[in-house]
Amino acid sequence: MDIWFTLFVLLVALFAAAGFALLLVGYIDTLPAAIAHGWRWAVLVLALPVAGPFIFCFKHWDVCARTGRQIIAGTGLVLIGLALLYGWGPHFAERIIAGIPNS
């Protein structure tokens, strides 16, 4: 087994896990605040799980700045994980396929 492949999978998994955790915490923090600001905000946050909380935090930045930064960081980490997966993933797949003996 190639150590670089193992490190690649570890990095993608860590970026994805940290990003989704930050997105989930940001969503959970935003939902009660959106409900408190009215049913229109609550519907927006419930209907659009990533964009809705970000829009709500952007419109109420003075109250929700920390949560907004969590959502931005979570989205960034997930995008970095996806970029690694789709950027370097084919390279590692070719290396693994090249190592399989023909039968």
Side-chain angles (χ1 to χ4, degrees):
M1 178 69 60
D2 193 357
I3 186 70
W4 298 112
F5 175 72
T6 305
L7 290 174
F8 166 73
V9 171
L10 179 69
L11 272 176
V12 170
L14 287 175
F15 277 121
F20 283 122
L22 283 172
L23 283 173
L24 180 63
V25 168
Y27 181 75
I28 290 171
D29 284 348
T30 305
L31 192 55
I35 292 170
H37 279 85
W39 66 271
R40 290 183 180 162
W41 286 112
V43 169
L44 177 72
V45 169
L46 287 170
L48 302 170
V50 175
F54 178 73
I55 293 169
F56 176 78
C57 289
F58 182 72
K59 295 290 184 178
H60 301 92
W61 192 257
D62 55 334
V63 179
C64 300
R66 179 175 172 247
T67 305
R69 285 191 296 268
Q70 280 181 333
I71 293 170
I72 291 169
T75 304
L77 288 172
V78 169
L79 290 176
I80 289 171
L82 284 172
L84 282 173
L85 184 63
Y86 287 108
W88 284 94
H91 168 73
F92 285 110
E94 288 174 4
R95 287 181 61 185
I96 290 172
I97 290 174
I100 297 174
N102 294 333
S103 34

